[in-house]
Amino acid sequence: MEQRKLPNATAVLVLGIISIPGCCFYCVGLIFAIIALVLAKKDKALFAANPEGYDNYSTLKTGRVLAIIGLILNILALLSIIFAIATFGWAIMNDPAALQQAMQGM
C-alpha cells in the first residue's frame, strides 16, 4: 500500500514556526498557534485511524511542538502587556516620555 502525506502537516509546521516570532508583534502569533493546534489535532486523528497509510507524522509532531512553544510564548507576552498596563496605566503606556519617567521613579 502506498503511503500518503498527512494533508495539514506542512501547514501545521509553517504555522508553528510563524507563531514563535509572532509573540513580538502584539501576540498575533497566538492566532497562528491555535490554528496550528486545531489542524494538528485533525491530522493526528487521521494518523491514529491508519498509521501505516501516512509517512510524514514527524513533520506533524514537530509543527505541533513548535505551536505549543509559540502558544506559551504568546501567552507570556500577553500577560506581560497586561501587567505593564495594570502597573503604569493606559495613558502612560501611550506616552513614551511619561513611561520613561515612571520607570525611572520605580
Side-chain angles (χ1 to χ4, degrees):
M1 184 168 139
E2 185 178 328
Q3 289 187 333
R4 299 174 295 185
K5 296 195 178 292
L6 289 166
N8 297 321
T10 304
V12 169
L13 181 64
V14 170
L15 289 170
I17 291 170
I18 292 173
S19 71
I20 293 175
C23 69
C24 300
F25 301 104
Y26 300 105
C27 303
V28 78
L30 189 66
I31 297 166
F32 295 122
I34 291 170
I35 292 171
L37 289 173
V38 169
L39 292 176
K41 184 178 178 182
K42 290 179 183 179
D43 274 5
K44 195 173 179 183
L46 277 174
F47 183 78
N50 185 11
E52 297 86 25
Y54 299 102
D55 65 347
N56 62 343
Y57 186 67
S58 62
T59 304
L60 181 70
K61 287 194 313 185
T62 304
R64 185 173 177 268
V65 168
L66 289 173
I68 291 170
I69 291 169
L71 182 69
I72 291 169
L73 288 175
N74 280 284
I75 289 172
L76 290 175
L78 185 63
L79 289 175
S80 69
I81 291 170
I82 291 170
F83 176 75
I85 291 172
T87 302
F88 299 114
W90 185 254
I92 292 177
M93 292 298 291
N94 287 328
D95 185 13
L99 179 62
Q100 185 177 9
Q101 186 177 7
M103 290 181 75
Q104 287 176 352
M106 289 183 81

